[in-house]
Amino acid sequence: MRLTANLRRVAIATTVAVAAVFAVSTAAYADPVEIEGQQLRDDLFVASVHSRTQGAQGLKDLVLSAEMLGYHQRFPAKTKDEILAHAALMSQWYDSHLDGTDFALQTYEALPHVLTMMSAWPQAAVAAPIMKELLEMTVGPVSKDYGERINQVATAQFSYDQFERFYPVQDMIWRRITTQAQGDPTFATAWDSNFGARLGVLSTASEEQLAADPAIATWMNVNALLEHANNTENYITEARAQIVSAITRLESQNAQLIGQVGQLGQQFPVTSTTAPPSPATFNTQREAAVNRQKDIDAAGMAIQALATALGFADPTAGRIVGGVGKSLMQVATAINKYIPSIAGLSLAQALTSMSTVALTGNILGAIGALLPVFATGPTPDQLLMDEIHKLRDQVGQLATTMTSRFDRVDHALTVMYGSMLDRFDQVIGLQHATLAELTYLEQELYALNVKVDNWGSAIVRALAKAEMHDAIVAINQYVGHKYTYNEPIQTYGEYQDTVNELDVMATTYKAYGTPFFPFVESQYEGLDPVTTTRAFDDGDTGPATAIDYLDWYAARYYGGTRSLDQKPAAIAPWTMSARAYARMVAENPNYAVQVSESQTNGILAKGQGILAAARRFSAPRSTPDAQGNRTNALFTNAMAEYRTALQSFSAELGAIRGANPDNKIYDMFRNADQSLNSAAQLTDPAKVGPCTGATPSLTRPSTMSITQAPSALQFAKYAHPQQPVVRLCYTAGFANVETAEDYKFNHTYADLDMTFKIKVTWGGQEWDYRTWHSSWYLGEICRSYVTGAPGGFCNNLTYYLNKWDASYLAGFTAGATTQTDETPATYARNRMNEYLTGRQKSYYNAVVTALGSPNVPLFAANTRLTRAVAMLRAYTQVGFAKAMSQDELLSLLTVGGERLPSDLDGINTMSQAFLRAQTNYAGCSLTGPGGACAEGAQPVDPMANQTTVWNGCTANGAPGASGDPVGDCLLGIGQHRTNVLATRYEAHSRELADGTYIEGLPDVVSIMEDLTLANSFIRHA
């Protein structure tokens, strides 16, 4: 409720602030407003057709429209019917060469693949100007006046940024379509026949017709704006009102989306114990996102059109509004497309949603999109800056809402969002920004992509190596040359020198024995697998960099076979150089086509080698095993190794715990009132002797039993070093003794008083824990002559005790009264708990010491466990890289908050749990008997205040439990998570076997698509 209230206040404040932004004086403006009608009309057309071309069909319409224009550019004399015939053939080719997996991707991911497929058709008009322009925009981002080109090719942020990669393409193509159509009736008729009529928007539609389009009219009243063209003040006032409305509604949409993210996140948390959402839930969320996106796109396009319209009166204000509107739209789109992924679990579902990585990349892009707002002219008006502040707050609210989910999937995301907000604050703080300041912030935003990019850190580390210097110089000088120097590369020789440098970097360095991975196979046995495969930490190599080592390790330890293929290239130099090479080809097609195709094929072959090496790790079984599973031997054996290592760790805990003293059987981790085994339980004697003296033993009444002694007493007698005496005994005597004398005799009368008891003797103290008491009137027990003469009788106590069975037992059994003194029970409980707690403390002290001592078995077991987790993670990151980028549960279990328990990369799940347990016992001083805590020490829960284990956690039936609650919890967690992880591997293995998707390192796949596309275009052209 608090978040909702805050966002509502933000929305209200937005309206006030935006209204104030445009309350400008008209003194600086002349009447009338010089409206560029053609530009406004074209903006409206783009907005209208954009709203009608969503999803897979929208991508097809976009690409085939561009190809139709290209065909017409190449063959301007072709008739409408000839154009339509060609379009029909192109559509058939398109449909026959794509399958469901292609359109399961986001449109910006599918675009390069679609264009590559299309360029393979001999009749495709790939040589046309529009297609060349499309190629360059698809392969490389539009260069800016600030920042270094190396930043643009060193990370994969462009691959994830939907706005940079796809929205400019849409804008360009639809503008070219309508521009051509308005001066070319033949093309207009052909396009309208094939696309416009079906979409409901004609290529030559008038401004009035477009303004009446509901997708536009809902957000923008063009006629109301144009009516004020003769009065600048009124024009700006109207523009202000419409912009206020559109921005406020879009901000409100963002607030609702953030709230929905929070609700769905609570409903479907990322956890290995929560039941996954149903397919129906996912489909509902996906359909809702599709419908919302139409409104978001319409609002964003309307704001852009309004920014253009405002720019006719005030170009600076128009530019600023356009930048802010684009950022708002980008944030809304990123969140909206991410929402279905919260309600989806299978990869087939996830592929149709935006991944966490893509969400992050697009929000980074939204921040970067604000930089041009500061690039020229004065800093935005302070009140408009308030709008940028509000956008920053919404990104902050998203980060807050997603913190729990990010922490569980990958804590690095939470850290990165904090850094992202810091950079956002720096952007907001710009005042009259210089190009140097913009360059710095651009570099800072690219640096954040190291955490978004799968292998960004490896590439950044590679950039620091001397071997990369010449390639970096070439990239900075020649990639984006025409944007940097306002002219193309001047000579073929310059182009040759650059691409040759990139070719050498991409193809020369192998995945072993180079500065990027300086080990060869003969050294592999001596390497530490954990440090060799560690990912994302400065100074470490990362798993993909160690891909040849991983192949060797799988063959050596996990039952795999060593690849006989050519050794793969080093991924860091290949990725950077190949991405730059693709840009060079796309930007310089006339030079690129002169280079032997073998050079491009060589780079592609190296990339294919990287993919092949990575795909070997996840390749499913060709046929299911006996249990019907498709998970391959590598992952099956790697998980088995983890389970075995976990059980070995537990066994070593058991060895440290050892047997109880004198091999007594009890649980040292429970308290003094635990259930006792038969050996620890006291047993009743048939006869009960006197507590003192030598009177005869008596038959024990059935209602009296030593087993009625509290378990703490029995336990103490069994296990405590001081072993108290606990026994049954009785006391007997005459009570109520009376004497009388007559003329002849002295008479003595008495009662027989009997008390049976459970007597406790401990440390010089004695207690009667329980007594059973009864008495009988005996009458005259003694008679003697008054004179002292012999005769008469006197019965001593033994006389009556000898009659116990016949005369008193039954009555005592039926009528004895009972009293209990809990003092000895409490004393025994306290002493026993002190003893058990002391043993527990000694145990955890020993475990913590062992975990830090390299030469003891527990340290070795923990090292084995950590190694098993490191290798599973490495093979997952490389072999299931595509799945991992989309499957939050897979990330959760490998790098996230529910990773397999181990001491890996400073997240010491094992050691930290035992260290916390040891700390819990700080109040126990081991000064009591047998290593007990000093008197007064309270029982301790080793699970208290834990961060990696929790109360109630048990081994849950996992084999090899040691009895230690901390160790058994870790064992149970590890077993459970391994089981869940196995289901994820199996699910993706089946998807691979069924052809649902194709695995591959996403960045390498993206670069391969771009380079293949660029090469195909220039060769077919």
Side-chain angles (χ1 to χ4, degrees):
M1 294 297 293
R2 184 181 301 170
L3 174 62
T4 302
N6 288 341
L7 292 175
R8 188 178 294 113
R9 288 193 289 271
V10 167
I12 294 171
T14 296
T15 305
V16 176
V18 176
V21 167
F22 301 104
V24 296
S25 169
T26 59
Y29 303 107
D31 294 329
V33 178
E34 294 184 7
I35 295 175
E36 298 180 21
Q38 186 63 51
Q39 181 179 353
L40 179 61
R41 181 263 165 206
D42 289 351
D43 276 1
L44 296 177
F45 176 82
V46 170
S48 180
V49 72
H50 182 100
S51 69
R52 291 166 165 78
T53 50
Q54 304 284 331
Q57 182 60 48
L59 176 62
K60 179 181 178 181
D61 289 337
L62 181 77
V63 171
L64 294 188
S65 291
E67 201 281 334
M68 174 183 281
L69 176 56
Y71 181 78
H72 188 60
Q73 287 175 335
R74 293 206 61 196
F75 306 105
K78 296 291 186 180
T79 66
K80 179 201 74 170
D81 291 339
E82 289 174 315
I83 295 173
L84 291 175
H86 172 82
L89 292 175
M90 185 73 252
S91 180
Q92 292 174 10
W93 175 271
Y94 189 101
D95 291 338
S96 64
H97 286 75
L98 296 177
D99 56 36
T101 60
D102 296 314
F103 290 111
L105 303 175
Q106 295 288 309
T107 49
Y108 66 91
E109 296 176 299
L111 179 61
H113 180 69
V114 166
L115 293 176
T116 299
M117 173 278 302
M118 188 178 71
S119 69
W121 188 40
Q123 298 182 52
V126 294
I130 181 65
M131 301 306 287
K132 293 179 179 178
E133 191 174 5
L134 176 57
L135 166 66
E136 185 172 344
M137 292 186 70
T138 301
V139 172
V142 176
S143 296
K144 304 179 179 71
D145 294 332
Y146 47 86
E148 293 184 328
R149 301 297 171 240
I150 190 64
N151 289 330
Q152 298 173 3
V153 300
T155 72
Q157 196 261 333
F158 174 59
S159 299
Y160 298 115
D161 190 336
Q162 173 163 324
F163 274 72
E164 285 294 323
R165 183 143 202 178
F166 192 60
Y167 277 72
V169 170
Q170 291 177 297
D171 185 86
M172 182 272 291
I173 290 176
W174 297 134
R175 286 186 190 279
R176 299 293 185 275
I177 292 295
T178 192
T179 298
Q180 182 71 32
Q182 289 175 85
D184 188 336
T186 300
F187 177 77
T189 304
W191 190 88
D192 290 343
S193 298
N194 205 54
F195 300 101
R198 173 169 51 82
L199 294 175
V201 55
L202 299 181
S203 59
T204 57
S206 67
E207 181 181 284
E208 292 76 12
Q209 291 171 320
L210 293 169
D213 182 349
I216 295 174
T218 300
W219 297 89
M220 178 182 183
N221 189 333
V222 178
N223 291 333
L225 188 62
L226 296 181
E227 285 175 357
H228 300 292
N230 291 324
N231 186 301
T232 303
E233 180 178 1
N234 292 342
Y235 181 89
I236 291 178
T237 299
E238 179 63 31
R240 175 200 66 192
Q242 295 192 32
I243 290 171
V244 165
S245 175
I247 287 183
T248 301
R249 289 167 66 183
L250 193 52
E251 285 184 334
S252 177
Q253 177 77 72
N254 278 355
Q256 293 173 19
L257 290 172
I258 293 169
Q260 188 165 5
V261 166
Q263 293 171 3
L264 285 173
Q266 292 179 349
Q267 187 177 359
F268 303 114
V270 186
T271 170
S272 63
T273 57
T274 302
S278 67
T281 300
F282 170 76
N283 290 334
T284 298
Q285 292 299 328
R286 180 177 60 183
E287 291 170 7
V290 169
N291 292 330
R292 283 193 302 266
Q293 192 59 45
K294 293 177 182 178
D295 288 339
I296 293 170
D297 284 350
M301 298 305 293
I303 292 173
Q304 295 304 309
L306 286 165
T308 298
L310 178 63
F312 297 149
D314 186 339
T316 298
R319 172 177 58 81
I320 293 172
V321 168
V324 175
K326 179 181 177 183
S327 290
L328 273 170
M329 182 182 178
Q330 188 160 357
V331 170
T333 297
I335 300 172
N336 184 55
K337 288 183 177 291
Y338 174 72
I339 283 176
S341 70
I342 302 176
L345 183 59
S346 74
L347 192 61
Q349 293 173 341
L351 287 172
T352 64
S353 308
M354 184 171 284
S355 67
T356 306
V357 170
L359 169 69
T360 305
N362 275 277
I363 292 177
L364 275 172
I367 299 173
L370 288 173
L371 291 179
V373 168
F374 302 88
T376 59
T379 300
D381 183 281
Q382 180 57 46
L383 291 177
L384 187 54
M385 286 296 296
D386 290 343
E387 294 308 308
I388 300 176
H389 277 284
K390 292 182 179 67
L391 179 60
R392 185 269 183 212
D393 289 343
Q394 288 192 329
V395 173
Q397 288 164 357
L398 174 67
T400 299
T401 301
M402 292 291 289
T403 292
S404 175
R405 197 174 193 91
F406 286 160
D407 262 343
R408 296 186 67 74
V409 174
D410 187 346
H411 178 68
L413 286 171
T414 302
V415 176
M416 196 211 68
Y417 269 75
S419 300
M420 185 192 298
L421 292 173
D422 290 341
R423 299 298 174 269
F424 210 149
D425 290 337
Q426 287 180 279
V427 172
I428 293 173
L430 290 174
Q431 297 291 326
H432 303 287
T434 65
L435 290 181
E437 289 176 305
L438 295 173
T439 297
Y440 166 75
L441 281 173
E442 180 87 347
Q443 291 171 339
E444 289 292 291
L445 291 174
Y446 273 114
L448 285 180
N449 276 282
V450 168
K451 297 180 176 64
V452 177
D453 188 347
N454 287 328
W455 314 116
S457 57
I459 296 171
V460 169
R461 287 193 300 275
L463 293 178
K465 297 187 181 298
E467 289 78 6
M468 298 290 285
H469 175 267
D470 291 347
I472 293 172
V473 170
I475 289 170
N476 276 331
Q477 183 171 359
Y478 289 105
V479 172
H481 190 280
K482 66 180 179 181
Y483 297 102
T484 304
Y485 303 106
N486 200 31
E487 63 179 9
I489 295 174
Q490 293 299 296
T491 68
Y492 179 50
E494 289 179 286
Y495 178 84
Q496 282 181 305
D497 291 342
T498 303
V499 295
N500 286 343
E501 182 65 43
L502 296 174
D503 174 55
V504 169
M505 186 57 59
T507 60
T508 299
Y509 294 102
K510 294 182 172 58
Y512 63 94
T514 70
F516 307 98
F517 190 77
F519 310 105
V520 295
E521 185 168 339
S522 61
Q523 298 173 292
Y524 287 174
E525 188 70 55
L527 297 180
D528 174 21
V530 176
T531 56
T532 304
T533 61
R534 185 176 294 139
F536 312 133
D537 293 329
D538 290 343
D540 297 315
T541 56
T545 306
I547 197 166
D548 185 64
Y549 172 79
L550 288 174
D551 185 76
W552 169 86
Y553 195 95
R556 178 74 171 81
Y557 294 104
Y558 291 150
T561 57
R562 195 76 162 102
S563 173
L564 299 178
D565 297 338
Q566 185 178 6
K567 302 302 183 187
I571 189 170
W574 184 91
T575 300
M576 187 197 70
S577 302
R579 185 181 282 124
Y581 190 97
R583 293 266 320 256
M584 288 292 292
V585 172
E587 293 170 1
N588 305 276
N590 294 331
Y591 291 149
V593 75
Q594 299 179 55
V595 178
S596 171
E597 192 172 6
S598 62
Q599 187 177 73
T600 301
N601 289 339
I603 296 175
L604 288 171
K606 292 297 183 182
Q608 190 59 45
I610 294 172
L611 291 177
R615 287 167 177 161
R616 273 174 50 84
F617 299 143
S618 57
R621 295 178 187 270
S622 56
T623 57
D625 64 12
Q627 288 73 43
N629 295 325
R630 284 298 190 99
T631 304
N632 63 28
L634 189 162
F635 278 93
T636 300
N637 291 335
M639 285 188 291
E641 166 61 11
Y642 176 76
R643 291 190 179 100
T644 301
L646 192 62
Q647 292 170 17
S648 174
F649 184 92
S650 186
E652 294 303 330
L653 292 178
I656 290 175
R657 174 185 179 180
N660 293 320
D662 300 322
N663 293 315
K664 298 293 179 66
I665 301 173
Y666 60 88
D667 187 348
M668 64 173 276
F669 292 102
R670 299 185 66 185
N671 62 29
D673 293 308
Q674 63 185 266
S675 299
L676 303 178
N677 68 81
S678 58
Q681 295 173 2
L682 297 175
T683 57
D684 290 314
K687 299 286 187 178
V688 178
C691 294
T692 60
T695 51
S697 294
L698 305 179
T699 301
R700 179 181 58 82
S702 61
T703 53
M704 183 191 71
S705 174
I706 198 170
T707 62
Q708 294 176 27
S711 62
L713 264 175
Q714 299 187 55
F715 192 10
K717 178 173 176 55
Y718 176 70
H720 196 277
Q722 292 182 328
Q723 289 194 309
V725 176
V726 183
R727 62 191 178 109
L728 280 178
C729 64
Y730 73 88
T731 58
F734 295 124
N736 300 319
V737 177
E738 296 179 357
T739 60
E741 180 179 332
D742 60 21
Y743 71 95
K744 188 175 183 178
F745 294 106
N746 292 314
H747 302 278
T748 302
Y749 304 90
D751 296 341
L752 176 61
D753 191 83
M754 293 291 298
T755 301
F756 284 80
K757 58 186 66 177
I758 299 175
K759 181 171 283 292
V760 179
T761 304
W762 193 344
Q765 302 184 72
E766 276 196 344
W767 301 274
D768 293 339
Y769 168 69
R770 179 162 294 166
T771 61
W772 294 263
H773 175 264
S774 189
S775 62
W776 296 264
Y777 177 65
L778 297 177
E780 189 177 16
I781 64 170
C782 186
R783 181 187 302 170
S784 62
Y785 287 101
V786 172
T787 62
F793 67 91
C794 276
N795 298 327
N796 61 17
L797 187 62
T798 301
Y799 170 83
Y800 294 101
L801 293 178
N802 286 335
K803 294 182 177 184
W804 172 255
D805 286 357
S807 302
Y808 306 112
L809 177 59
F812 189 94
T813 302
T817 59
T818 304
Q819 286 188 335
T820 302
D821 179 6
E822 293 292 345
T823 302
T826 302
Y827 186 87
R829 182 175 296 108
N830 290 340
R831 302 296 84 77
M832 199 62 209
N833 279 334
E834 290 157 5
Y835 175 62
L836 292 171
T837 302
R839 290 199 59 203
Q840 293 162 17
K841 175 170 183 171
S842 296
Y843 165 81
Y844 287 115
N845 285 345
V847 170
V848 171
T849 299
L851 286 171
S853 303
N855 297 319
V856 300
L858 185 66
F859 184 93
N862 194 37
T863 299
R864 179 184 181 185
L865 188 68
T866 300
R867 180 170 60 244
V869 173
M871 299 313 290
L872 257 176
R873 184 184 70 176
Y875 285 118
T876 304
Q877 288 176 317
V878 178
F880 282 108
K882 177 65 175 177
M884 195 172 175
S885 71
Q886 301 282 155
D887 184 345
E888 288 186 332
L889 190 52
L890 187 60
S891 295
L892 173 76
L893 293 164
T894 50
V895 299
E898 291 190 28
R899 65 185 65 189
L900 302 182
S902 71
D903 282 357
L904 182 62
D905 293 348
I907 302 178
N908 299 328
T909 305
M910 310 300 287
S911 296
Q912 185 59 41
F914 289 104
L915 186 61
R916 178 68 259 177
Q918 181 191 46
T919 302
N920 289 343
Y921 288 83
C924 166
S925 176
L926 299 176
T927 58
C933 299
E935 287 193 16
Q938 298 300 307
V940 175
D941 180 6
M943 303 289 282
N945 304 312
Q946 292 280 1
T947 57
T948 58
V949 295
W950 55 91
N951 277 321
C953 169
T954 67
N956 198 27
S962 70
D964 161 23
V966 176
D968 286 353
C969 177
L970 291 166
L971 178 67
I973 292 172
Q975 181 81 0
H976 165 73
R977 291 178 183 173
T978 308
N979 292 341
V980 177
L981 185 58
T983 66
R984 303 314 305 149
Y985 290 141
E986 179 60 22
H988 298 316
S989 295
R990 292 189 180 193
E991 289 166 338
L992 288 172
D994 296 341
T996 301
Y997 86 110
I998 299 173
E999 254 307 336
L1001 300 166
D1003 303 336
V1004 177
V1005 171
S1006 175
I1007 294 168
M1008 292 281 288
E1009 288 276 18
D1010 288 349
L1011 182 52
T1012 301
L1013 168 62
N1015 183 64
S1016 180
F1017 258 58
I1018 65 166
R1019 301 297 170 184
H1020 287 90

